[in-house]
Amino acid sequence: MAIELPALPFDKNALEPHISAETLTFHYEKHHATYVLKLNALIEGTDLANSSLEEIIKNSKGPRFNNAAQVWNHTFYWNCLAPNAGGAPTGAIATAIEKSFGSFDEFKAAWNDKAVNNFGSSWTWLVKKSDGTLDIVNTSNAETPLTDETVTTLLTVDLWEHAYYIDYRNVRPNYLNGFWALVNWDFVNQNFA
Ligand code: MN3
């Protein structure tokens, strides 16, 4: 039972002009797919060969953790994006954001600040803590809040340069502007519920 590469939840040109088909082709077919290939090579013939991706992540360190977590992180990231999405949040997450950050604009400013200052290849996440409040968390490399039992992962942005270099060169703030035009609040609400 190898780990499978999930299909992208949209067409490769569906996120244009914010994220190009060229970026998605590289990001999905080269980066995401390669993490799946490497992970399957690392679990083949081991105790984890038939484990779920989540179990592998929670029971791994080093290259096996890195590849497994990157498979999960990317699948989660694709689901955080959608065509004809973005803008202000709706539903329960809108209320929770107001409670924790004051307003959506204040949340966006806090997120952008955290993401712009997240050094190197990294991810920025919105999580729900056990007391129901929200927090913005930075991780490096493949690290993921999935391994923190005290939080629920709600939203992420991939800050590795391969996520934005083709479209935005090294200008991460411009990529973040594109990201806000694509956030799939329905998915964030599902995670929050
Ligand atoms: Mn990536």
Side-chain angles (χ1 to χ4, degrees):
M1 277 287 287
I3 297 296
E4 285 187 20
L5 176 66
L8 266 186
F10 33 71
D11 290 337
K12 290 216 182 67
N13 61 1
L15 304 185
E16 292 184 341
H18 309 294
I19 296 177
S20 66
E22 188 184 0
T23 288
L24 279 184
T25 300
F26 274 89
H27 201 173
Y28 176 70
E29 290 179 10
K30 308 289 180 196
H31 294 278
H32 195 183
T34 301
Y35 295 127
V36 172
L37 279 177
K38 286 188 174 172
L39 174 61
N40 282 325
L42 289 166
I43 61 171
E44 197 183 346
T46 74
D47 289 351
L48 292 172
N50 296 309
S51 300
S52 70
L53 182 58
E54 287 79 1
E55 284 170 336
I56 296 169
I57 292 167
K58 286 170 184 169
N59 292 290
S60 296
K61 285 179 182 163
R64 197 175 65 203
F65 170 84
N66 288 336
N67 284 285
Q70 283 293 80
V71 172
W72 191 90
N73 292 346
H74 281 87
T75 302
F76 191 85
Y77 169 64
W78 305 136
N79 283 303
C80 288
L81 308 175
N84 309 311
T90 52
I93 194 65
T95 311
I97 284 173
E98 272 173 36
K99 246 188 201 166
S100 289
F101 300 97
S103 67
F104 176 53
D105 283 343
E106 286 170 277
F107 163 64
K108 260 174 75 170
W111 174 280
N112 286 350
D113 183 60
K114 200 100 178 169
V116 165
N117 293 301
N118 199 356
F119 185 75
S121 298
S122 53
W123 299 81
T124 290
W125 306 82
L126 179 66
V127 299
K128 180 168 77 169
K129 297 189 288 187
S130 45
D131 65 2
T133 61
L134 305 182
D135 199 10
I136 303 168
V137 172
N138 278 349
T139 62
S140 289
N141 300 312
E143 293 290 336
T144 173
L146 184 68
T147 55
D148 181 349
E149 303 282 349
T150 70
V151 303
T152 306
T153 306
L154 304 177
L155 173 69
T156 195
V157 63
D158 186 346
L159 299 171
W160 288 51
E161 273 192 350
H162 66 227
Y164 59 91
Y165 201 84
I166 291 169
D167 297 330
Y168 299 99
R169 298 303 175 205
N170 60 328
V171 189
R172 193 182 280 183
N174 290 354
Y175 164 58
L176 291 169
N177 286 339
F179 168 77
W180 288 117
L182 297 168
V183 172
N184 181 355
W185 292 113
D186 291 343
F187 179 68
V188 182
N189 267 309
Q190 276 174 40
N191 298 326
F192 182 75

